[in-house]
Amino acid sequence: MLLEIKNLTKTYDDGTQALKNVSFTLSEGEFVVLLGLSGSGKSTLLRCINRLVEPTSGTVLLNGQDVTAANGAELRRMRRDIGMVFQHFNLTRRSSVLRNTLSGRLGYNSTLRSALGIWSQADQQRAFQNLSRVGLLNKAYSRADELSGGQQQRVGIARALMQEPRLVLADEPVASLDPVLSHSILKYLEDLNHEGIAVLCSLHIPSLARRYATRVLALNDGNLMFNGLPEELDNERFKEIYGQDAESLED
Amino acid sequence: MSEEKKQTIKPVRENRTSLQLIINVVLIALVVLTYTYGWNVTQIDLSKLAAPSDGLKGLVGDLFHPDIVARDRQSYRAYRTYLIPCDAEHQRAGAVGEGISIMPDCGNIGDIVTIAGEGLRPNTSGTIAWRTQQGGTKILAQIETDDNGAFSFTTRVPEAPPGQTVGQHGSEVILRWEEGTLRMSETAKQVLAKMVETIFLALMATTMGVFLAVPISFLAARNVMATTRLGLTIYFLVRLFLNILRSVETLIWALIFIVWVGIGPFAGVLALTLHSVAALGKLYSEAVESINPGPVEAVQATGASRVQTVIYAILPQVMPPFLAFTIYRWDINVRMSTVIGLVGGGGIGFLLIQWINLIQYRQAATAVWAIVVVVATMDYFSAWIRKKVV
Ligand SMILES: Nc1ncnc2c1ncn2[C@@H]1O[C@H](COP(=O)(O)OP(=O)(O)O)[C@@H](O)[C@H]1O
Ligand SMILES: [Mg+2]
């Protein structure tokens, strides 16, 4: 089992219960889509997995190793195996595309070398390969903020690939993009999934889930309401997840 | 509708107004009292402004007469003897020679002699003196050569002190003039040396301040430190430290460091550095706190260490504000370094206060102008840099 989440609970300092006793597993090769209304706890769940958010209780096991108990260097080593792609891309806007891409490799490099901006030939090679893979080789030396949204998200994917991850967490990777670009980005995720990297991707458009997911999870107010195949997501289930006022599955 | 509302509200308002009135009167009385006391305690006396003292007139005059340039001083000296009394060799013939002549060249006290010059520097002023054999000297007159470099002066051989009346007397002519290209006066040289010291004082303090303030500012940024309990503790301590540092003015720090390391520019550098660290530490840390947390999380998520996160996600974001604050601080430090010498912290201020105390206003004016020029130039320079880089 690649990822095993057991009784994960998160209560924020202000008392908000964002996750309530969530448990599920995720195997190699899966493309799992996480659905739920905004505020249902999707981001919190994804961030608890790599400990950007500190879980209140529960455990996260990655390859049987306890992420929640790890600290310092151990946690950083575990994070190397988990790539992350963000809704707002989260690139360092004033740095070059290449430097943003290379930053995905920081976990493998000593602080001193990377502080001085010294990168091995192999890492540079890897960066160019990953940029070429997302079709941005010619933008390597552009400043990140000169790129369009879709291009920036592709840099985000290249950065995640630099980690040589076993799992990629994608937090609404297409929500700030033009709908026509959604498929382009999700296809990159699908490609790397076919190469053996597991994907856990939150989306708020169910139709996209049915197109890409091998399995669907759904959160409602911090509770895991659904864990099954995309085909099982019928209208009844849909209303459980999105509330009685939700109109239809098709959008 | 609205009419009715007004009527019901009015009485309440009137009550309020009378209370408000009392409060206002008390407030006004307090304000008047405060400022009356302030006026007296600071000894404000506008009539003094209207009747300027002579000192002020001198000061203003000298302000437009700074001591900046001078020329080399040259002089010419010639001497001819006059024997008292005449003997066999000297038969009232006159001593003619290079430069000046004396006619006749022997005689007695009270005789008429003509001292003349030829081929000297034209239009040059000087003095004629009479010397006895023993060296007693008396200035006879101020002279000025004509266009051809000649002069002539007739007088009586002056009385000499007892015991010096006979022997080889003589006349000495000294011409003095200024020649050559303009060069800096001694004052200007001193001012220049101290001005260089002043600028380097500002440079050293700003540089050291920046190097210390950058790491400190990360320790004083909540978003960087608040991830752990220890971090939060350090954050509060560093903030407290910066606040204490900042609450003491640079000149006070200079006085403290003078006690520590002695009078001189080093004390000034330390004082300015300390205040720069305090001010920049706060400004920098606020820039760090206002960054976009997204890239920081993204870099953290890759498994980067804290230092790597700072370098790859925070520094690029804070570079423009850091630069802006640094240039701003440089401006302040240049200004401060011109006055820190007033208390003994090195730089131009040291000369300024010294000359003012000695009432050497022309010299003081030179220092003041130097300060004006340097500060204005630096302002211009930093505005130019700001435009280029920020
Ligand atoms: N840092 C935080 N502090 C307090 N409450 C938070 C914080 N982040 C998220 N929440 C709350 O937790 C709940 C889940 O949020 P989130 O995980 O962002 O949901 P989603 O990603 O599905 O929109 C929401 O009610 C949100 O307001
Ligand atoms: Mg979210």
Side-chain angles (χ1 to χ4, degrees), chain B residues 41-81:
Chain B
V41 85
T42 55
Q43 302 177 6
I44 291 174
D45 182 358
L46 294 181
S47 67
K48 282 184 179 168
L49 279 178
S53 65
D54 288 342
L56 180 71
K57 284 170 194 159
L59 180 68
V60 171
D62 285 342
L63 204 55
F64 294 101
H65 223 260
D67 178 11
I68 299 172
V69 291
R71 291 174 195 273
D72 281 329
R73 282 186 191 283
Q74 302 282 339
S75 66
Y76 168 86
R77 183 178 166 279
Y79 180 74
R80 288 282 162 246
T81 56

Side-chain angles (χ1 to χ4, degrees), chain A residues 38-39 41-44 47 87 171-172 202:
Chain A
S38 129
K42 303 185 294 295
S43 297
T44 304
R47 282 150 181 276
Q87 175 181 353
D171 191 1
E172 308 219 25
S202 70

Side-chain angles (χ1 to χ4, degrees), chain B residues 55-384:
Chain B
L56 180 71
K57 284 170 194 159
L59 180 68
V60 171
D62 285 342
L63 204 55
F64 294 101
H65 223 260
D67 178 11
I68 299 172
V69 291
R71 291 174 195 273
D72 281 329
R73 282 186 191 283
Q74 302 282 339
S75 66
Y76 168 86
R77 183 178 166 279
Y79 180 74
R80 288 282 162 246
T81 56
Y82 182 90
L83 200 64
I84 301 179
C86 293
D87 63 11
E89 270 176 57
H90 295 82
Q91 291 303 320
R92 296 176 173 272
V96 184
E98 208 182 297
I100 65 166
S101 62
I102 186 159
M103 294 281 215
D105 73 344
C106 65
N108 291 302
I109 303 277
D111 286 1
I112 287 175
V113 291
T114 299
I115 302 155
E118 243 179 44
L120 302 175
R121 193 174 186 274
N123 304 314
T124 307
S125 61
T127 56
I128 296 182
W130 192 267
R131 300 179 68 162
T132 65
Q133 183 163 2
Q134 288 76 12
T137 304
K138 184 179 182 188
I139 302 280
L140 298 178
Q142 303 282 333
I143 51 147
E144 178 132 8
T145 59
D146 62 18
D147 289 346
N148 301 314
F151 76 91
S152 178
F153 176 70
T154 302
T155 184
R156 285 175 189 280
V157 175
E159 295 288 340
Q164 301 188 12
T165 50
V166 296
Q168 199 173 65
H169 285 220
S171 175
E172 183 183 52
V173 171
I174 296 175
L175 300 181
R176 291 179 205 281
W177 67 95
E178 292 181 340
E179 199 177 65
T181 50
L182 283 175
R183 56 171 183 76
M184 292 175 73
S185 66
E186 282 310 308
T187 305
K189 278 184 190 164
Q190 272 181 293
V191 165
L192 187 72
K194 279 288 172 189
M195 211 66 230
V196 169
E197 184 181 301
T198 306
I199 292 169
F200 277 96
L201 206 159
L203 179 72
M204 296 311 284
T206 309
T207 310
M208 285 162 63
V210 168
F211 272 95
L212 290 171
V214 167
I216 286 177
S217 69
F218 288 101
L219 298 180
R222 201 184 184 102
N223 53 344
V224 177
M225 299 305 288
T227 48
T228 58
R229 198 169 288 273
L230 175 69
L232 201 63
T233 313
I234 295 173
Y235 161 83
F236 277 117
L237 287 178
V238 172
R239 279 263 143 154
L240 183 69
F241 172 70
L242 288 181
N243 284 337
I244 292 171
L245 281 192
R246 212 174 41 252
S247 63
V248 179
E249 261 304 319
T250 316
L251 288 183
I252 311 283
W253 282 123
L255 288 171
I256 292 170
F257 280 117
I258 283 164
V259 175
W260 190 347
V261 303
I263 282 186
F266 184 43
V269 168
L270 289 174
L272 276 182
T273 301
L274 208 59
H275 205 263
S276 299
V277 167
L280 286 179
K282 180 174 153 63
L283 291 173
Y284 286 174
S285 67
E286 280 164 5
V288 172
E289 281 175 351
S290 64
I291 58 164
N292 176 3
V296 179
E297 289 193 326
V299 168
Q300 263 170 4
T302 67
S305 67
R306 197 184 283 245
V307 174
Q308 286 174 326
T309 308
V310 167
I311 291 169
Y312 276 79
I314 300 181
L315 267 188
Q317 290 195 58
V318 297
M319 227 39 192
F322 272 30
L323 258 171
F325 290 139
T326 305
I327 293 170
Y328 166 69
R329 190 67 217 175
W330 162 251
D331 281 348
I332 293 176
N333 281 351
V334 168
R335 276 158 221 274
M336 280 313 296
S337 66
T338 61
V339 296
I340 207 158
L342 299 181
V343 298
I348 188 79
F350 176 72
L351 287 178
L352 184 60
I353 192 81
Q354 179 187 313
W355 283 326
I356 286 177
N357 286 339
L358 294 173
I359 328 184
Q360 292 182 321
Y361 290 148
R362 274 196 73 192
Q363 280 83 343
T366 314
V368 168
W369 281 114
I371 291 172
V372 169
V373 168
V374 165
V375 170
T377 310
M378 289 299 169
D379 267 5
Y380 185 80
F381 177 65
S382 58
W384 180 77

